[in-house]
Structure formats: structure tokens, C-alpha cells
Amino acid sequence: MTDSSGVRARAWKLFLLYLVLLCGFVLCIAWAESAGMPRRWIGPIFLFATVALYAGIGLYTRTSDPEEYYVAGRRVPAFFNGMACAADWMSAASFISLAGGLYLLGFGGTATQPGGLAYVMGWTGGFVLVALLIAPHLRRMNLYTVPDYFMVRYGGAWPRRLAALSAVLCSLVYLVAQIYGIGLIASRLTGVQFEIGIMLGLGGVLLCSFLGGMRAITWTQVAQYVVMLLAFLIPVSWLAYKQLGHPLAPVAYGELLITISEQERKLAQSPVEQRVQQEYWRRAGDYAMRLQNVPNAMAAERSRIERRLSDLKARDADSRAIVNTYRELAALPRDEDTARERWTRAMHENLDRARQLGGMPPHLEPFGTASASDDDDGAASDVVRRNFLALMFCLMVGTAGLPHLLTRYYTTSSVSGARRSVAWTLAFILLLYLSAPALAAMIKFEVMSNLVGQTFDSLPGWILQWARVDPALVSVEDINGDRIVQFSEIRFGGDIVMLATPELGGMPYVVAGLVAAGGLAAALSTADGLLLTITNSVVRDLYCRDIDPAIGPEQRVILSKFMLMTVALAAAFAAALKPGDILALVSWSFSIAASAFVPAMVMGICWRRVDARAAVAGMLAGLVVTLGYMTAHAGWAREALGLNATDGLWFGIQPVSAGVFGVPAGVAVITLLTLLRPRRQTLL
Amino acid sequence: MTPQAAPLPARRIVWTKAILLLAWVGVSFVPAWFARDLDRVVWGWPLHYWIAAQGSLLGFLAIVLIDAALMNRWERAAGQDVDHSERHD
């Protein structure tokens, strides 16, 4: 016991010292800003200071001892392990996109885009499964990785191989989303290009996971959690104090929700908003006309621009106007397919925005009931509800299957410590998650009451700055030409709302820097854990067991580091292609993890009769169903088959929640194969 | 290892887990399914929104805490709570 309490006392001392230093650092920058330090220094200072801090911790706690490298010596106190788990768990999706998702999707999202509070419940409810069924059991078995469990429980090579491959697959998808988030923040903080931002952030990830394995990552994640917590709660409390007169946002925003509903009703009836919607409607109709005869429309478009060009030249107009027209000409779609694809997308976008509130569902409405105007809407609302529950199910069960989280509970010093650690994790996550819906509500109120009605000339500068990073993040366009901002003319991407909060709320720039640093911490902490999981799966569970069992420990470390680098670069390359928004990518990864791991893992824990054959079949069944459903409904596959967005969906469930079919498939196959096998054989 | 003081109450553990899992479904899936019927204002809060945004989360925390308290107490009584960090002296 002496050692364990010694570790705890030392950890507490260092932790409190760190807390004081961090607050001091933030206050220093705040003072420097008010004393006249230029704003453009603040972003880079936060970026480099925090990344240097994490790298320093990684360097200080570096190790090559296997027990330390894989499970941090199994002596992390439950409180700190909970904190590290919370950082590991809350990714760029939680920190950057959650509040934005709630802002855009309201209570339950739409039929094609499920979400809203399903994310809040899904990402916390899974810990009940982890605590009750999984973490203590895995901790008792003294394992090193999640595929280890499959090897120890089932024996044979295939359960382990399949588990390792699934771990790589779901972690890789997850990792791409994190690196995308890193690029987003780094490019905003320093003003460099998105791709260079990715590389900058990647350096930070590699520096700490490269050196110290699990031990370094644990303590880095503790540091990152504190940064995240400060970065989330400071702007939220600030905004709450400003709007509600009370810094504790989660207890005070009830009235605000009701005000928002009233405002939304007013906006729905406002004639100016309706004019904007009519303009979107007209544009959508215009695209629909073009789509009826694509070659003609292309030719017409080209000749129209060429005529304007020659007109401008004849008038000897401003050279900038001529250059712009040339650009328009060059940006025209080159062939029919591109034109059709681009115009179809534009048509749907305009149709979306032609609906009330720019296509956002009303904030409080459960599954779109209030807009029930025709008889069909009862069924449509049921589809939304089904999707909400399906997504929640996938996120919860996925939580119980994601390897990078489960391995974290191997690092506590006892089984009871693992249980306490899960409870701490959930408590630390709730500190942020209880505030996220409050933040979404406050932002919506801020936009409705302050941004709407301003003139376009007085638009704040941050909107333009963010639009420069990626126009999909934020756009404010004067649709009806009255030079006044209307609610339907504003469009936020989900990934921007949190990052823009400080500027939207008129806080000093140091808060913006802190929020960006928090987002970076969230993305880096998860990316570290994921990279370690992928590398261990490939090197420890696949290479060292199947290909070269005689490999020495030193070569193994070198191989791990080489692998880490390769995976990080591959993920960075994928992220640079901007493959989709963060929330969607992360949800896919949860569906995959849920259907690959959870049935075989939980049934293996609870039912002694399940054997290797049944487990392999169950994992395969889950994976095939989930991945099959996802690919069959991916955009490109649908286009190849000529299907609509909702054709061929089972019960109208969107492909992100494919796990809702994969998990039962896995459970059914395992149950069937286990029951079909005669009992005598099991006893042999 | 300390000698077994009392056997683990296996049956009670199974029942506890079953009840806690039912409670988990009860605070998450059930209110989400009936969100349309819960759409009313109680003490200044839209009830369905409060449950989904805060109530169920606090429920999860309570479930995890109850499980940890009970299981850890039973394991300690059975002499099964071993702290492995002692090996690292």
C-alpha cells in the first residue's frame, strides 16, 4: 500500500502545481492582451505553449519497460485515470462539434441527419455498460490490449486476428476525424493553410506518443483534460453570466429554451425571412430546370458568362471584374457528370434552406411533431424517432467496444480501482456534457438577438476569417438584397460553433485562444490513444504473434515507432482530403466498434459455453452487416445503383447507425452456434 | 492473498446487475421514446429536453456509483480486492 499512496501523493502535488501554473499562464496572456500585445500572437502562443507542454510531459515520463509502455505500470490512481479516460474519450467531436450539432439539430435532428441530444445521451450512457459488464472483468484478467482478451478467452488465432483488425479499422476512422479537427484548429490559430495545420498538430501527437507509450499518454491526457475543462467552462460561464446573470449555465438555461421557441415561432412568420426562403426556393427551381437538360444548360451558362466577358471588355471595365469573370468561366463544370453532381447538390442545399429557420429543426421539438401539417408527418416523425434511438444505441454500445478507451482501464492498480475509475470518468465527462446543451442554446439566442438584424457592413471580422479557412464552416450571404442579416441567411457548419463562441459572445481574444487550445487538447488526447491502440494491434497482436514471434523487445519498440509514424501520416493524408464532417466520421467508427467487439466480448464474459468458432462467426456477421449497410448506402454506391437518399433503407435507419443491425446479427449468430453445438463437446 | 472471508453473493450480484441495467434502459431509451408525450414545461424547464440533456446523464452517474459501491463492498468482504501496485516496490 505504501507505494500506491506514495504515487498518489506525488501525483496530487504535481497536479496542483500544474493547475496553478496553467491558470497563471492564462492570466498572464490575458494581462498582456489588455496591455496591448497584438492579437495575432495569441493564437501561436497558445498552440506552441500547449504542444510544448504535452511534449515535455511525454519526454519526462518516457519509458521502454513493457509493463510501463502498455499499461502504465498498472498503478495509476483511479481519480487521475478517470481524468485521463475523460480526455481520451472526449475527442474533437465532443469538444468542437457537440455544441454545434445541438445548435444545428435541436432536440432530435431530422430523418436524414439524426442527432441532437442522442449524442449527449449516447456518449455518456455507454459508460454504464463499461462499468457494469466490461471494465472490471477485463482488469481482473491482467491483459495488455483488447485483442488479448479474445486470445485469452477463446484461444486460437482467429478471434485475436479479427479483433486486432477491427481495432485498427474503427480506430483509423476515428483518427482521421481527430486529425481533421487538429488541422482545423491549428490553421485557425496560426493562419497557415489547412494542410500545414495538420502537419503542425501531427508533430505534437507524435512527440508524446512516440516516446512514452501508455505511461506518457496517461499523464499527458491528465494535463489535456484540465486544458479542455478550462477552455469549455470559461466561455460557457462567461456567456451564461452575460445572458442569464448566473455563471452556472446548466442550472439556469431552462427559461432560455422557452424564449428560443418563442423567437423561432416569430421568425417562422416574419415576412422578411419568408422572402429569403422564396429566393432559395427560386434558386432550387433554377437548378432543377438546368438538370432537366444538362448539356444545354452548360452551353447556356458558358455563353452567358462569355457574353458578359466580352461586354466588360468592350466597356473597358475594371480589370478586377474581368479577372473575376475569367475565374467564373474557369470554374464551370468540365463535363456533364460533374455538372449534374454539382447542380444536384446545389439544388438540395437550396431546398433545405428554403424551409423554415434555414432548414434547422425547431430547437425543442421532439422529432418534428409541431410541423405536422399533413397526414404523412406522423410516419415521418416516427422515422426521426427511430433514427434517434438507433444512433443512441450505436454510440452507447460503441463506447463499450472502443479499444482505446477499454485499455485505459487496464492501468488502475486493482479491480475496484477500475470501477471507481469509470465513475470518475463519467463525472469528469459530465462536467462538460451538462454544459454543452446550455452552450448551444445560448449561442442560438445570441445569434437570434444580436447577429440577426445587423447590417452586412458591420459584420464582425471573425466571420470572414473563418470563412477563409473553409467556406463550408460559416457563410453569411445577403440573399434578399436588403443589406440586413436574416436568420435564414446565416449558415454555420457544426464544427464552427464552439470555436467561434468567444468571438460571438464578445469575449477578449485570449478566450478564443484558450478555446482553440482546448479543442486541440481534445483532438490530440484522443489521437494519442488511438495511435497507440492501432500500433499495438498491428505490432503486438498481429506481427509479433503471427509473423515473427522471435522478435526482440528492442526491435519491437523500433517497429512500433515506425508503425506509429506510418499510421499517423496515412491518417493525415486521409484527413487532408476533408472526407466529411467530424461527427459523421466518429459515429461510423462507433457503429463498427459496437458490432465487431461488443457481442463477442459481453457474451464471452457472461456465458461460459461460447467458444472460438461462435465468437469468430459472430464478429464476422456483425462486421459484414454493419460495413455492408454502410457501403451500400454511401453516396457513391447509391449513385452507381441510381438510388435516392432514402431508398432501400431498413426501417428508414441512416447508415451511420448501421451498428443497430450489426450488433443483433452478431448476438444472434453467437447464440445460435452455441446452442446448436452439443453440450458434451464443451466439457472436453 | 487474504483467505476467503465470505463467498461472493453470486445470485445477488446477478440481480443487482439486472436491476441496474433495467434502470439504465429506464432513464435513456424509455424517456427518449416517449419524448413527444413529455413535451411540457415543468418548473420552468421543457421536461423532455431536461431529461435528455441532464436527467438521464445524472441517472447514468448514479447507476455507475451504486454498482461500484456495492460490488467493491462485496469483493472486499470476500477478500478479493487486491491492489496490484504493491508489486512495484
Side-chain angles (χ1 to χ4, degrees), chain A residues 132 140 364 381 385 413, chain B residues 17 33 36 48 75 84:
Chain A
L132 264 59
R140 187 171 294 130
L364 289 185
S381 163
R385 176 165 75 178
S413 62
Chain B
K17 300 249 169 194
W33 179 266
R36 283 185 292 211
H48 68 298
E75 280 185 4
H84 295 275

Side-chain angles (χ1 to χ4, degrees), chain A residues 4-53:
Chain A
S4 149
S5 54
V7 169
R8 207 171 302 147
R10 210 167 90 88
W12 269 105
K13 217 187 291 169
L14 283 174
F15 178 71
L16 291 176
L17 181 70
Y18 164 66
L19 210 61
V20 171
L21 284 179
L22 185 70
C23 293
F25 172 73
V26 174
L27 288 177
C28 267
I29 307 255
W31 170 80
E33 187 193 353
S34 66
M37 184 172 67
R39 280 183 156 205
R40 67 199 146 79
W41 289 8
I42 291 180
I45 286 178
F46 266 104
L47 179 79
F48 290 112
T50 53
V51 169
L53 168 76

Side-chain angles (χ1 to χ4, degrees), chain B residues 2-14:
Chain B
T2 35
Q4 289 265 25
L8 271 182
R11 190 178 276 269
R12 210 187 285 170
I13 289 177
V14 171

Side-chain angles (χ1 to χ4, degrees), chain A residues 1 3-4 73 75 107 117 120-121 124-125 128 131-132 139-140 250-251 253-255 257-258 363-364 366-367 369 381-382 385 388-389 392 396 413-414 416 419 423 426 430 434 437, chain B residues 17 20-21 24 27-29 32-36 39 41 44-46 48-49 52-54 56-58 60-61 63-65 67-68 71-72 75 81-89:
Chain A
M1 272 303 165
D3 177 48
S4 149
R75 55 178 168 181
F107 177 87
L117 291 174
V120 174
M121 285 204 269
T124 51
V128 172
L132 264 59
R139 175 63 191 84
R140 187 171 294 130
V251 295
Y253 74 102
E255 290 163 46
L257 289 172
I258 296 166
H363 201 75
L364 289 185
F367 319 131
T369 33
S381 163
D382 278 348
R385 176 165 75 178
F388 183 90
L389 289 168
M392 203 165 97
M396 284 180 176
S413 62
S414 62
S416 63
R419 284 198 195 95
L426 191 55
L430 290 197
L434 289 177
Chain B
K17 300 249 169 194
L20 288 176
L21 284 175
W24 170 65
V27 298
S28 54
F29 290 97
W33 179 266
F34 291 108
R36 283 185 292 211
D39 186 0
V41 175
W45 284 85
H48 68 298
Y49 200 92
Q54 306 195 7
S56 57
L57 276 62
L58 297 172
F60 298 146
L61 186 61
I63 293 171
V64 170
L65 283 174
D67 174 72
M71 294 301 295
N72 287 350
E75 280 185 4
D81 187 19
V82 185
D83 198 313
H84 295 275
S85 61
E86 287 162 73
R87 289 177 306 155
H88 281 275
D89 273 318

